[in-house]
C-alpha cells in the first residue's frame, strides 16, 4: 500500500484531510447560524454549496502545512425528526451539539443528542457541546460551570460561542479539528483503494439440473 | 510484463476463453473463466467471497452437457453460434436509449442448478499477467453461453398471495410503463445533468462514452460485458451478492477498458470519471430489471427486494392516507400562493426519478428537486423569517413528496445506496440522498404524533382518506382480475399489442426501443435473428454501424425536439413563478442555461431568476 505521500515528503508538503461533521440541536438554538458564521468568516475562500445551505463545506488551516476540510451536515432539529437523525450520523467523525445558553430546556435536548450519538454514532466520534448566544450573557439561564461539568463528565469538548458576533466560532471549529484523528485519516486517504482484477481460467464444475 | 503483452493476453483470453463454446462447442475446460478482484487484505471479505464463489459454482452449467446436447434448452440456444460483440453492440445501443423504465418481462431461468460439488481453487490457474500484490478476493465471472431470457410464463405464477400479486401487477403493468405519459419530454438520449457548482466539472456525456465504447478495438470489453450479464441473469442473487458482483465487475471492466483504444488514450481525470459513469450506467441499465426491486419480476425477487417492496407499499399507503396534509401540519411557515409553483416544479423533478435507470440519473432528479426547494426558501426568506437550513428544508421536502407522490421512493433510494459508485456518493450528494431517506422514512412512519394537528381534524381527514383508499383498492382489484384472465390466455401477444399498439402516440424511436427491449427479454432466439439480419454475423460491421448511426441521428433529432419542448414548459412554469419578470427575459435565461449546462438545469434557472427578481 502506498502510504500518504504528504508525510513522506516531510515538512514541505501540505497535508489535507476531510471530515464529516454533523450539526445537532433543537430548532431555535441557532445551530446553522454558527455554521454560516464559520463558513462566511473564515479566511480561506468559502465554497458556496451547489444545492443549498443545509450542506456546507469549509476548510480550516490548523498549522502551517495542515488543512482540514469540514463537510458540515445540518440536521432538522424539530422533535418530529428526532428518531430519523441516525441516518445522518453514519460515518460522521465529529458532531457539534448546540444548545442556547438562554434556554434551559435546550440543554436537555442537547443531552438527548449526546446520548444518541454515543449509542449510535461511530465510536471514535469527536463530540463538542456548544452553548450559543454568548452575546446574550445577561439573559443566561445555564451557567457555564453546569454545562462544562456535564461535558467533562462525558469526556466531551465544551465551548461557548456567539453566532451573532462571531465570537469564538472559529476557535471552536479549530479545536475540533485539532482533536480529530488526522494521521489516521491521512493514511486512509493515502491508500487509494485500487482494486485490480484477475481473469483466469477455471475448470468447469458439474451442473446439476434442478429437479423442479 | 509489457503493456503489449497484457493487451494481447487479454484479447486472447477474451476471444479464446470467454466464448469458446459459442465458437466451437467442444466440451472444454476452458469454457469458464473467472475474474478475481483484488484489493486490500480483509479476511472478512474473503470469507464472503468464498461463499459467493461457491454460489457461482453452483450455477455453473455443465458445459459437457451443453456440447453433447443433453440440455435441451441450451442446445436450442446454442444451435446458432452468435457473434456476441455485435449483438453486444446492438444492446449497448439499446442501453443508451433505454432510459425509460420498461416493463419488465419475466425471465425464464430454468437453469437452477444443484449444489456445487467442488470449489475451484483458482489462484493456481491465474495468469500471472494480472496477478497483483494485494489480491484479496476473487469472484468468478465464468462464462456461460446461453442467455435465459424467457417467454414470460412465470408471470402467471399464482403461488403467491393475491394481494402481492395485485401489487406486483400494479407495479409492472400500470406504473412502470406510464412515465412516458406524464413526461413525454423524456427521450432516450435525454439524461439529466446536475446543478452546476463552481467546481471544475464536466457534463457527463454518455453518448460520447458509447461512441468510444462501440469502437471495434473494444470488442473484448463487449465480450466481458456480455459474459457478465449472461452469468448474472442465471439466478437470483441476494442483494449483497448483487452489490458485490456488480461493483467488482465495474472495477474490473474499468481497469480493462483503460487498456483498449480509445480509452487508453485518456489522460484527463474528468474524462476518466466520465468512463466510470458510463460503465455504471451501461451495466446497471442492462441489469435494471434484476437489481431494482420494482422492476424485478416476482419469481426473481430476493428476500431483501421483497422487503424493499414491502416498504414501498407502506410508503405508498402513507402517501394516500396523508394526501390531505398541508404546510401548516408540518409547521412550514410558508403560505401557499405563488410558492405552489415551486412545489409543482420540485414535484416534477422528483417524479422523474422513475424515468431513469442509472443511479446517477436518479440522483440528479433528487438534487434538482432539492435545489428548487432551496429556491423557494430563498424567495421566502425575508417574508417569513425562515433560514436556509435543514430545519426549514426537511419539512418542505416532505411536503413536496406528499404532493408529488413519487412511486417506489424507498426502492429507488435503496438502489442508489447500493449501486451508486461509492466514490461518487459523497459530500453534498450523499447529504441530500440521506435527507431524502429521512423524508421517505418519515412518511412511511407518519402518524398523528408527527403532525401539528387537532385530534378532531386528524380523525376526520384520515377517515376520509381511508374511504378513498378502500375505493381505489376495490377498483384496482377488479381491473387486475380482468387483466389476470387475459394474461393467462396469451401473455406475449398481449405484450406486443400493449407495447406497439396502444402506444401509438410514442415517437418511432421509443417504440423501437421498447420493442427491442421486449424482444431481448422475451424471445431470445428471435432476438438473435433480429440483430443478425445478415447471414454472417461477424462480417458486417459497416452495415451495423450504418444502422447505429441512423438510429443515433434519429435519436439526436428527437432529443433536440424534446429539449425544445421541455424548455418551453420550463419557461411557462417560471413565468408563473416570477410574475414580476418579463417572459422574454425568462426565455433568455432558460435558453442560456440550456446551452451552458447541456441539459437546461432548472435549479440554475430558478437561482438566476431569484437573483434577477431582487
Amino acid at each position: 500500500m502506498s502510504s500518504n505521500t504528504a508525510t513522506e515528503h516531510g515538512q514541505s508538503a501540505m497535508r489535507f484531510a476531510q471530515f464529516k461533521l454533523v450539526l445537532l440541536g433543537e430548532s431555535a438554538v441557532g445551530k446553522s447560524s454558527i455554521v454560516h458564521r464559520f463558513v462566511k468568516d473564515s479566511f480561506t475562500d468559502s465554497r458556496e454549496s451547489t444545492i443549498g445551505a443545509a450542506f456546507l463545506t469549509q476548510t480550516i488551516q490548523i498549522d502551517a502545512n495542515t488543512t482540514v476540510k469540514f463537510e458540515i451536515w445540518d440536521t432538522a432539529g424539530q422533535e418530529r425528526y428526532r428518531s430519523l437523525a441516525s441516518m445522518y450520523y453514519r460515518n460522521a467523525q465529529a458532531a457539534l451539539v448546540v444548545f442556547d445558553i438562554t434556554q434551559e430546556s435546550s440543554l436537555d435536548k442537547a443531552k438527548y443528542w449526546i446520548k444518541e450519538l454515543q449509542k449510535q454514532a461511530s465510536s471514535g466520534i469527536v463530540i463538542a457541546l456548544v452553548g450559543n448566544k454568548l452575546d446574550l450573557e445577561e439573559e443566561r439561564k445555564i451557567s457555564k460551570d453546569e454545562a462544562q461539568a456535564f461535558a467533562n463528565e462525558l469526556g466531551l469538548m465544551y465551548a461557548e460561542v456567539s453566532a451573532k458576533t462571531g465570537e469564538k466560532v472559529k476557535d471552536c471549529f479549530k479545536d475540533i479539528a485539532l482533536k480529530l484523528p488526522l494521521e489516521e485519516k491521512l493514511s486512509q486517504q493515502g491508500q487509494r483503494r485500487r482494486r485490480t482484477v484477475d481473469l483466469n481460467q477455471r475448470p468447469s464444475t458439474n451442473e446439476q439440473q434442478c429437479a423442479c | 510484463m509489457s503493456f503489449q503483452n497484457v493487451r494481447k493476453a487479454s484479447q486472447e483470453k477474451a476471444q479464446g476463453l470467454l466464448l469458446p463454446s459459442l465458437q466451437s462447442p467442444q466440451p472444454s475446460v476452458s469454457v469458464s473463466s473467472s475474474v478475481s478482484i483484488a484489493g486490500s487484505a480483509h479476511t472478512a471479505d474473503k470469507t464472503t467471497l468464498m461463499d459467493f464463489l461457491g454460489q457461482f459454482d453452483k450455477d455453473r452449467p455443465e458445459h459437457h452437457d451443453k456440447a453433447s446436447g443433453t440440455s435441451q434448452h441450451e442446445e436450442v440456444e446454442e444451435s446458432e453460434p452468435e457473434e456476441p460483440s455485435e449483438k453486444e453492440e446492438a444492446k449497448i445501443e439499446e442501453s443508451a436509449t433505454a432510459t425509460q423504465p420498461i416493463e419488465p418481462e419475466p425471465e425464464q431461468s430454468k437453469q437452477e442448478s444443484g449444489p456445487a460439488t467442488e470449489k475451484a481453487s483458482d489462484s493456481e490457474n491465474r495468469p500471472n499477467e494480472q496477478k497483483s500484490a494485494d489480491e484479496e478476493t476473487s469472484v468468478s465471472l465464468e462464462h456461460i453461453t446461453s442467455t435465459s431470457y424467457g417467454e414470460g410464463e412465470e408471470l402467471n405464477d399464482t403461488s403467491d398471495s393475491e394481494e402481492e400479486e395485485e401489487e406486483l401487477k400494479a407495479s409492472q403493468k400500470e406504473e412502470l410503463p406510464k412515465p412516458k405519459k406524464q413526461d413525454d419530454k423524456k427521450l432516450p438520449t435525454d439524461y439529466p445533468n446536475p446543478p452546476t457548482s463552481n467546481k471544475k466539472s464536466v457534463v457527463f456525456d454518455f453518448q460520447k462514452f458509447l461512441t468510444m465504447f462501440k469502437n471495434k478495438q473494444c470488442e473484448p470489453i463487449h465480450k466481458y460485458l456480455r459474459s457478465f450479464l449472461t452469468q448474472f441473469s442465471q439466478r437470483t442473487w441476494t442483494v449483497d451478492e448483487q452489490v458485490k458482483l456488480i461493483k467488482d465487475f465495474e472495477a474490473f471492466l474499468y481497469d480493462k477498458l483503460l487498456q483498449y483504444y480509445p480509452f487508453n488514450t485518456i489522460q484527463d481525470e474528468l474524462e476518466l470519471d466520465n468512463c466510470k459513469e458510463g460503465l455504471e450506467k451501461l451495466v446497471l441499465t442492462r441489469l435494471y430489471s434484476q437489481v431494482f426491486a420494482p422492476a424485478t419480476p416476482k419469481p426473481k425477487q430476493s428476500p431483501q427486494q421483497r422487503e424493499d417492496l414491502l416498504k414501498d407499499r407502506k410508503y405508498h399507503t402513507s402517501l394516500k392516507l396523508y394526501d390531505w396534509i398541508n404546510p401548516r401540519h408540518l409547521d412550514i411557515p410558508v403560505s401557499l400562493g405563488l410558492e405552489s409553483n415551486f412545489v409543482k416544479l420540485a414535484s416534477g423533478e422528483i417524479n422523474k426519478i422513475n424515468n431513469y435507470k442509472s443511479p446517477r440519473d436518479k440522483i440528479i432528479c433528487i438534487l434538482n428537486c432539492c435545489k428548487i426547494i432551496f429556491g423557494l426558501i430563498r424567495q421566502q426568506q425575508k417574508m417569513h423569517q425562515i433560514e436556509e437550513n435543514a430545519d426549514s428544508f426537511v419539512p418542505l421536502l416532505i411536503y413536496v413528496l406528499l404532493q408529488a407522490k413519487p412511486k417506489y421512493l424507498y426502492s429507488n433510494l435503496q438502489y442508489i445506496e447500493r449501486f451508486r459508485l461509492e466514490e461518487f456518493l459523497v459530500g453534498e450528494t450523499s447529504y441530500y440522498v440521506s435527507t431524502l431517506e429521512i423524508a421517505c422514512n418519515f412518511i412511511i412512519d407518519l402518524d398523528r404524533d408527527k403532525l401539528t394537528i387537532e385530534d378532531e381534524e386528524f380523525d376526520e381527514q384520515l377517515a376520509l382518506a381511508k374511504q378513498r383508499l378502500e375505493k381505489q383498492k376495490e377498483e384496482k382489484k377488479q381491473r387486475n382480475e380482468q387483466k389476470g384472465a387475459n394474461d393467462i390466455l396469451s401473455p406475449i401477444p398481449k405484450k406486443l399489442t400493449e407495447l406497439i399498439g396502444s402506444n401509438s402516440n410514442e415517437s418511432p424511436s421509443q417504440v423501437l426501443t421498447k420493442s427491442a427491449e421486449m424482444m431481448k427479454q422475451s424471445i431470445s432466439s428471435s432476438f438473435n435473428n433480429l440483430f443478425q439480419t445478415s447471414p454472417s454475423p461477424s462480417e458486417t460491421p459497416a452495415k451495423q454501424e450504418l444502422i447505429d448511426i441512423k438510429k443515433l441521428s434519429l435519436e439526436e433529432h428527437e432529443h433536440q425536439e424534446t429539449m425544445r419542448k421541455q424548455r418551453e414548459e420550463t419557461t411557462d412554469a417560471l413565468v408563473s413563478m416570477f410574475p414580476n419578470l418579463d417572459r422574454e427575459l425568462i426565455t433568455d435565461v432558460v435558453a442560456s442555461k440550456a446551452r451552458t449546462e447541456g441539459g437546461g438545469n432548472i435549479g440554475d434557472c430558478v437561482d438566476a431568476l431569484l437573483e434577477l427578481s431582487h
Side-chain angles (χ1 to χ4, degrees):
Chain A
M1 282 299 145
S2 69
S3 65
N4 168 44
T5 48
T7 47
E8 278 167 8
H9 292 300
Q11 292 293 308
S12 59
M14 281 300 289
R15 305 194 304 165
F16 178 85
Q18 188 169 321
F19 295 95
K20 170 176 168 183
L21 179 146
V22 279
L23 196 55
L24 297 161
E26 213 187 337
S27 276
V29 297
K31 56 182 160 36
S32 37
S33 311
I34 295 176
V35 171
H36 291 188
R37 169 65 75 177
F38 170 56
V39 171
K40 275 183 208 139
D41 274 8
S42 296
F43 297 108
T44 44
D45 54 334
S46 76
R47 293 239 255 112
E48 283 274 321
S49 60
T50 327
I51 309 292
F55 174 90
L56 294 165
T57 60
Q58 180 59 287
T59 52
I60 186 168
Q61 199 160 351
I62 54 174
D63 63 44
N65 51 17
T66 310
T67 307
V68 165
K69 179 179 172 187
F70 283 110
E71 239 182 34
I72 304 165
W73 290 45
D74 192 12
T75 64
Q78 296 95 322
E79 188 95 23
R80 57 170 68 106
Y81 309 118
R82 249 192 188 185
S83 59
L84 301 163
S86 61
M87 203 101 52
Y88 282 130
Y89 310 157
R90 278 184 304 192
N91 309 319
Q93 289 108 345
L96 207 67
V97 183
V98 185
F99 69 97
D100 176 352
I101 60 166
T102 70
Q103 283 273 324
E104 231 160 324
S105 65
S106 70
L107 182 61
D108 293 333
K109 294 274 165 59
K111 287 178 178 171
Y112 164 83
W113 289 117
I114 287 162
K115 257 187 224 146
E116 280 294 298
L117 282 169
Q118 290 181 331
K119 250 194 293 181
Q120 304 198 44
S122 41
S123 55
I125 191 168
V126 174
I127 304 173
L129 178 65
V130 177
N132 188 25
K133 306 199 182 172
L134 196 52
D135 51 295
L136 299 176
E137 184 62 55
E138 65 278 11
E139 292 171 42
R140 182 194 277 273
K141 296 272 163 50
I142 296 167
S143 78
K144 187 172 180 178
D145 290 346
E146 183 195 344
Q148 178 85 62
F150 173 73
N152 288 348
E153 196 186 311
L154 293 174
L156 318 173
M157 296 173 61
Y158 181 70
E160 291 190 349
V161 304
S162 167
K164 195 173 177 187
T165 65
E167 190 183 351
K168 302 260 176 65
V169 170
K170 203 185 165 196
D171 296 338
C172 170
F173 280 90
K174 195 169 175 179
D175 289 345
I176 295 172
L178 288 168
K179 271 207 136 191
L180 288 165
L182 194 69
E183 294 303 329
E184 200 182 302
K185 187 79 183 180
L186 284 169
S187 68
Q188 271 174 24
Q189 286 172 182
Q191 298 169 1
R192 263 198 93 172
R193 242 169 74 102
R194 180 169 163 73
R195 307 201 286 176
T196 43
V197 180
D198 250 304
L199 178 97
N200 68 349
Q201 186 180 338
R202 297 186 45 151
S204 63
T205 53
N206 292 325
E207 179 205 38
Q208 290 173 3
Q209 286 285 346
C210 190
C212 53
Chain B
M1 170 173 278
S2 77
F3 173 75
Q4 282 298 328
N5 286 343
V6 170
R7 185 157 157 186
K8 199 173 160 221
S10 339
Q11 275 170 343
E12 273 168 14
K13 202 158 302 137
Q15 283 155 7
L17 300 185
L18 283 179
L19 302 153
S21 63
L22 290 177
Q23 285 150 0
S24 56
Q26 287 166 9
S28 149
V29 286
S30 64
V31 161
S32 55
S33 63
S34 87
V35 176
S36 301
I37 286 137
S40 56
H42 289 293
T43 41
D45 276 10
K46 203 161 200 165
T47 323
T48 35
L49 200 77
M50 285 318 287
D51 297 345
F52 173 76
L53 246 169
Q55 262 135 7
F56 248 134
D57 287 344
K58 263 182 233 172
D59 285 279
R60 183 180 305 146
E62 168 63 272
H63 296 288
H64 295 261
D65 279 359
K66 249 190 251 178
S68 55
T70 47
S71 161
Q72 209 183 10
H73 174 75
E74 283 169 8
E75 194 191 23
V76 172
E77 305 234 342
E78 306 268 315
S79 59
E80 278 188 6
E82 46 185 352
E83 218 302 297
S85 71
E86 189 162 325
K87 185 166 162 187
E88 198 51 45
E89 222 167 275
K91 285 199 195 171
I92 292 157
E93 200 58 52
E94 258 169 61
S95 305
T97 61
T99 43
Q100 292 281 1
I102 290 165
E103 178 171 355
E105 188 82 19
E107 289 171 14
Q108 176 189 342
S109 62
K110 292 295 168 207
Q111 295 169 335
E112 289 299 318
S113 3
T117 47
E118 53 174 292
K119 276 186 187 176
S121 127
D122 52 347
S123 49
E124 296 94 321
N125 308 344
R126 206 169 281 154
N128 53 7
E129 154 221 342
Q130 280 128 340
K131 241 175 201 164
S132 112
D134 50 1
E135 286 166 6
E136 152 210 15
T137 55
S138 59
V139 176
S140 70
L141 299 169
E142 70 272 30
H143 183 68
I144 54 156
T145 51
S146 63
T147 25
S148 62
Y149 293 122
E151 270 82 51
E153 59 235 67
E154 277 162 310
L155 187 70
N156 301 313
D157 180 3
T158 48
S159 59
D160 278 275
S161 79
E162 205 178 318
E163 197 196 328
E164 239 176 277
E165 187 99 11
E166 181 194 341
E167 200 63 39
L168 183 86
K169 282 197 175 150
S171 75
Q172 293 189 343
K173 302 237 164 216
E174 289 164 29
E175 280 141 11
L176 280 174
K178 262 184 183 164
K180 214 154 260 179
K181 219 175 192 175
Q182 57 170 10
D183 189 27
D184 54 348
K185 329 165 201 178
K186 204 96 291 142
L187 243 192
T189 51
D190 175 23
Y191 45 88
N193 269 307
T196 48
S197 66
N198 42 12
K199 271 194 304 196
K200 191 182 161 204
S201 66
V202 263
V203 174
F204 171 51
D205 192 342
F206 191 49
Q207 212 55 264
K208 183 177 171 188
F209 170 79
L210 285 177
T211 310
M212 290 168 84
F213 194 81
K214 280 187 296 184
N215 194 300
K216 266 276 175 227
Q217 303 263 326
C218 291
E219 215 175 271
I221 301 290
H222 305 165
K223 289 175 182 170
Y224 288 129
L225 177 63
R226 178 170 157 64
S227 164
F228 176 76
L229 296 174
T230 309
Q231 175 64 39
F232 194 90
S233 68
Q234 291 306 301
R235 53 162 289 192
T236 301
W237 308 99
T238 69
V239 165
D240 287 345
E241 285 166 350
Q242 287 184 338
V243 171
K244 175 106 182 88
L245 268 173
I246 291 175
K247 293 214 161 152
D248 285 352
F249 178 70
E250 282 172 351
F252 161 79
L253 202 63
Y254 176 70
D255 280 353
K256 274 271 163 285
L257 196 66
L258 299 186
Q259 295 170 14
Y260 293 96
Y261 182 83
F263 294 99
N264 59 8
T265 61
I266 298 175
Q267 298 293 325
D268 186 38
E269 193 79 22
L270 296 170
E271 283 282 319
L272 289 173
D273 280 352
N274 198 47
C275 295
K276 284 184 199 159
E277 290 281 16
L279 275 182
E280 181 188 88
K281 183 163 176 164
L282 192 63
V283 171
L284 284 166
T285 303
R286 297 283 296 278
L287 293 177
Y288 195 66
S289 67
Q290 290 166 75
V291 297
F292 180 63
T296 307
K298 195 162 65 177
K300 297 211 91 188
Q301 284 162 8
S302 66
Q304 183 61 51
Q305 284 182 317
R306 282 171 200 270
E307 242 167 73
D308 293 349
L309 290 171
L310 207 70
K311 282 269 190 185
D312 272 333
R313 225 168 290 165
K314 275 188 185 166
Y315 159 81
H316 291 156
T317 306
S318 266
L319 286 179
K320 285 172 187 154
L321 284 179
Y322 297 99
D323 61 351
W324 44 270
I325 283 178
N326 67 40
R328 174 171 56 87
H329 299 129
L330 294 166
D331 298 314
I332 297 170
V334 173
S335 56
L336 282 180
L338 198 62
E339 307 76 58
S340 67
N341 287 310
F342 275 95
V343 174
K344 250 184 233 158
L345 208 59
S347 301
E349 290 301 313
I350 193 67
N351 268 323
K352 288 179 188 165
I353 197 166
N354 287 309
N355 296 349
Y356 296 104
K357 288 181 176 178
S358 85
R360 175 191 178 275
D361 294 347
K362 285 178 184 286
I363 284 172
I364 284 160
C365 301
I366 294 171
L367 296 183
N368 280 338
C369 168
C370 293
K371 182 142 192 179
I372 293 165
I373 294 172
F374 275 104
L376 171 60
I377 293 172
R378 255 169 244 152
Q379 195 210 34
Q380 300 273 307
Q381 215 157 10
K382 288 187 186 111
M383 212 194 307
H384 293 282
Q385 297 284 307
I386 52 173
E387 277 183 81
E388 196 184 328
N389 59 21
D391 286 347
S392 53
F393 173 69
V394 173
L396 270 170
L397 180 63
I398 290 167
Y399 180 68
V400 165
L401 291 181
L402 288 168
Q403 297 298 305
K405 305 183 174 60
K407 299 272 182 207
Y408 308 110
L409 188 62
Y410 185 83
S411 282
N412 272 296
L413 288 164
Q414 292 298 312
Y415 172 76
I416 289 167
E417 290 278 358
R418 286 169 197 157
F419 297 107
R420 179 62 172 154
L421 283 170
E422 277 160 59
E423 61 182 292
F424 294 129
L425 192 57
V426 290
E428 201 169 27
T429 305
S430 173
Y431 177 80
Y432 287 103
V433 170
S434 299
T435 307
L436 190 62
E437 280 176 59
I438 284 174
C440 179
N441 284 323
F442 179 85
I443 290 173
I444 289 172
D445 297 328
L446 200 49
D447 59 29
R448 182 193 315 236
D449 298 340
K450 301 211 172 74
L451 298 170
T452 304
I453 190 168
E454 295 295 324
D455 284 357
E456 230 172 81
E457 188 188 357
F458 182 88
D459 291 338
E460 191 185 320
Q461 293 286 7
L462 197 67
L464 286 171
K466 275 183 178 159
Q467 274 177 23
R468 289 194 294 271
L469 194 63
E470 280 306 310
K471 211 176 156 192
Q472 278 176 12
K473 264 191 184 163
E474 199 56 42
E475 287 171 5
K476 206 178 191 180
K477 208 173 169 184
Q478 281 173 6
R479 273 206 312 274
N480 280 336
E481 271 165 14
Q482 289 174 348
K483 258 193 182 172
N486 290 343
D487 285 343
I488 289 162
L489 286 173
S490 61
I492 298 168
K494 185 156 190 286
K495 280 275 142 54
L496 275 163
T497 46
E498 261 174 23
L499 283 164
I500 298 162
S502 67
N503 288 318
S504 50
N505 57 337
E506 286 172 11
S507 68
S509 72
Q510 281 169 331
V511 174
L512 190 72
T513 313
K514 261 197 152 182
S515 46
E517 178 82 7
M518 182 199 68
M519 292 294 185
K520 182 187 88 183
Q521 290 185 336
S522 66
I523 318 165
S524 62
S525 49
S526 317
F527 173 79
N528 289 346
N529 298 334
L530 186 74
F531 285 96
Q532 293 172 4
T533 41
S534 52
S536 167
S538 57
E539 283 167 16
T540 55
K543 215 171 188 179
Q544 181 64 43
E545 201 53 41
L546 198 69
I547 295 167
D548 287 352
I549 291 165
K550 273 184 189 161
K551 206 167 159 192
L552 271 179
S553 73
L554 180 69
E555 278 160 13
E556 188 54 30
H557 172 75
E558 296 270 347
H559 179 62
Q560 298 291 341
E561 185 60 19
T562 311
M563 295 311 281
R564 194 188 55 75
K565 254 193 217 154
Q566 204 169 353
R567 278 201 295 280
E568 260 169 33
E569 279 169 37
T570 308
T571 309
D572 287 343
L574 292 170
V575 165
S576 59
M577 283 160 67
F578 298 96
N580 57 334
L581 295 178
D582 209 42
R583 188 186 175 99
E584 243 171 70
L585 177 78
I586 293 174
T587 311
D588 284 351
V589 169
V590 173
S592 75
K593 289 288 168 195
R595 266 198 305 279
T596 50
E597 269 89 45
N601 186 282
I602 199 158
D604 293 324
C605 295
V606 171
D607 266 4
L609 293 171
L610 272 172
E611 261 169 50
L612 287 169
S613 66
H614 282 316

